Amino acid sequence: MILTFIKERAAQHRKRILLADATDPRILNAAQIAIDEHLGEIELVGPIDEVRKAIDEFAPNLENIKIWSVESFIETESLVLEYYERRKDKIHDLETARNEVLSDPLLFGALVVRAGYADGLVAGSLSTTANVIRAGIRGIGLAQGVRSLSSLFLMDFPALREFRKESMTFAFADCAVIPKPDAHQLADIAITTAETYHKLTEREPRVAMLSFSTKASASSEETKIVALATEIARERNPNLIIDGELQFDAAFVPEVANRKAPGSPVGGEANVFVFPNLDAGNIGYKIAERLGMGQAIGPILQGLDKPMNDLSRGASIDDIVTMVAVTGVM
């Protein structure tokens, strides 16, 4: 099971992971479980008095856990200055930058991670996805060479493993962030998803750029974008095993690949599937989850310089613990 594998690796590395939205009882309970399972050095982010009150009420065993807050951290002003210097083309003055940091625990937590005081951040149980992503882009920033933040779902199919000898763990992207990616964004998604898949599974990524066409069997603006994105990704990463545009059967079934895409480097054995847009990706992962009995882990954010992951506001305690482990491995 891929989740067991990820948790074992997180426990080996024991990274320092911050949990925001720390007044949420689910966050506090997940923090305790993550500590008990040795998934990392778990710390909290938020207004110190409010978080302390929540701990007293919901999780008294966490009374000694470290809490990062703008009020108590002696280097908060240094974070503000660095933030202003990096974004002064978008922020009018230092006071505006200071107000942004002091009023936003998510941004503060992202800056703590960027500065190296922690290894990753998990947020979103009480915050919107838009706010989490905004804090990640502003606070941590995009990785070098990456133009767009995107996401993936890690899809595991333990019930189907008997039908295929190889791993039944795949990456589906982008299913949550970019509605209509252009060719450069699709190339970003392909490259970063391959990297994330390798980090989480330790398997070599084989990337299929999905479309309703295989190798120009149909022609439209949409298929041309996928084909161009494939070429851009190859130029940026010549060692990446990637092909497109491919229909799903030509990406997944070797016999179909031999007929529809002979000579394809993917050869019908893709494990990373890049969808042409958010409609297709979101629909695809939900069909795979519900009809294919898949376990969907995510959405996992990627493209930031350091890991920061979002939670659904309906996340369960187990979901939060899983994302702590994923962030630690990333």
Side-chain angles (χ1 to χ4, degrees), residues 53-233:
K53 181 179 179 182
I55 289 173
D56 290 343
E57 183 174 358
F58 301 113
N61 288 342
L62 294 177
E63 60 179 350
N64 295 321
I65 195 170
K66 182 176 179 62
I67 302 170
W68 292 84
S69 69
V70 292
E71 308 101 308
S72 62
F73 184 45
I74 61 173
E75 295 294 335
T76 294
E77 188 62 20
S78 296
L79 297 183
V80 169
L81 290 172
E82 189 275 336
Y83 176 65
Y84 174 63
E85 287 299 321
R86 188 162 41 88
R87 291 181 54 82
K88 61 170 51 176
D89 59 327
K90 296 182 175 67
I91 300 175
H92 296 304
D93 52 50
L94 179 59
E95 190 59 29
T96 300
R98 183 177 292 110
N99 289 337
E100 288 185 8
V101 175
L102 297 184
S103 65
D104 187 351
L106 296 182
L107 177 58
F108 170 71
L111 291 171
V112 168
V113 172
R114 178 183 173 86
Y117 296 108
D119 299 301
L121 174 64
V122 176
S125 69
L126 298 178
S127 302
T128 66
T129 293
N131 285 340
V132 173
I133 289 175
R134 186 181 303 112
I137 292 174
R138 293 179 177 181
I140 295 174
L142 295 174
Q144 186 174 3
V146 175
R147 302 182 183 185
S148 307
L149 181 147
S150 62
S151 72
L152 68 91
F153 277 88
L154 205 59
M155 304 294 299
D156 195 42
F157 297 89
L160 304 180
R161 200 162 276 130
E162 63 182 285
F163 300 107
R164 183 168 172 167
K165 292 181 180 179
E166 307 88 69
S167 168
M168 288 297 291
T169 302
F170 307 95
F172 285 19
D174 177 5
C175 306
V177 177
I178 305 177
K180 192 174 181 180
D182 61 27
H184 287 281
Q185 289 174 315
L186 269 181
D188 263 351
I189 293 167
I191 292 168
T192 54
T193 304
E195 292 172 350
T196 307
Y197 180 80
H198 178 68
K199 286 178 184 176
L200 294 176
T201 68
E202 294 189 339
R203 295 182 62 84
E204 182 178 46
R206 304 174 66 87
V207 183
M209 306 293 282
L210 296 180
S211 175
F212 65 84
S213 165
T214 296
K215 298 295 187 178
S217 62
S219 180
S220 70
E221 288 303 313
E222 289 78 10
T223 62
K224 290 175 183 176
I225 288 173
V226 176
L228 177 57
T230 305
E231 293 306 313
I232 293 170

Side-chain angles (χ1 to χ4, degrees), residues 254-286:
E255 295 79 9
V256 177
N258 288 336
R259 293 195 303 271
K260 289 187 173 184
S264 168
V266 171
E269 296 182 345
N271 48 30
V272 173
F273 298 98
V274 177
F275 291 82
N277 56 52
L278 191 56
D279 276 343
N282 193 272
I283 292 167
Y285 104 79
K286 288 182 183 293

Side-chain angles (χ1 to χ4, degrees), residues 294-308:
Q295 178 186 23
I297 300 173
I300 299 167
L301 297 182
Q302 56 186 5
L304 294 172
D305 199 40
K306 293 186 178 181
M308 178 173 176

